[in-house]
Amino acid sequence: MTGRRTRAIERNGGQPRPARRWSHGRARVQLRLQKVEVILIDEFHHVVEASGERTLNKVGDWLKQQSKRTNIPLVLTGLPHSASVLEINKQFARICPYRFSRASFDWQDSDRRRAFRLFLAQLDAELPFDDWSCLGDTDKARRIYLASDRHLGNLMLLVDPQVCGTGE
């Protein structure tokens, strides 16, 4: 082989086509074969923090293309500033009509305190123990609130069955 095709293959590390096209195409095929119903991208704020406006616009375009090509809903999770990709890329924002934000638990606000206690009671019901731990009781809930520093991830470390020694 000579000419443009050879030079293109050499530029692409011996691949006949750019590796990105292959991996994206294979990923889409696997998503269909595995019957994936939703794509969850967690910790999306790391992409936002490491990127400028131009890159975020490209990220938004890429996510929009993947969503349209696969017809699989995307769920992006992260800190509140993750939404900046939607502010920068208006086309991507239009295909993301549902946005949900969860504020940190706040012990000082009675409604949020009640919601936190209800959450703990529901969590308690889901734990793999024979007896209830009464996590939603006011005193225990306050202690858990303080120990978790208002972060759901920290709270889950406190009650994770693997951490509690009951996991497999």
Side-chain angles (χ1 to χ4, degrees), residues 80-141:
H81 62 276
S82 300
S84 64
V85 72
L86 298 172
E87 295 163 8
I88 290 170
N89 191 314
K90 299 299 182 193
Q91 290 179 339
F92 182 50
R94 280 195 290 277
I95 68 165
C96 300
Y98 306 109
R99 298 177 198 158
F100 176 75
S101 171
R102 187 194 59 80
S104 295
F105 292 116
D106 183 1
W107 195 257
Q108 305 308 317
D109 181 270
S110 63
D111 288 338
R112 287 191 181 168
R113 183 172 54 241
R114 186 174 18 260
F116 182 65
R117 290 183 60 216
L118 287 170
F119 170 77
L120 288 176
Q122 181 62 41
L123 180 63
D124 197 4
E126 299 293 326
L127 289 173
F129 304 122
D130 293 332
D131 296 325
W132 283 48
S133 303
C134 301
L135 298 179
D137 287 354
T138 303
D139 188 51
K140 283 185 184 175

Side-chain angles (χ1 to χ4, degrees), residues 119-120 123-124 126-129 133 135 144 148 151-168:
F119 170 77
L120 288 176
L123 180 63
D124 197 4
E126 299 293 326
L127 289 173
F129 304 122
S133 303
L135 298 179
I144 292 170
S148 67
H151 296 287
L152 189 57
N154 294 344
L155 184 147
M156 295 311 291
L157 286 174
L158 293 172
V159 296
D160 185 321
Q162 296 290 334
V163 174
C164 294
T166 60
E168 295 178 23

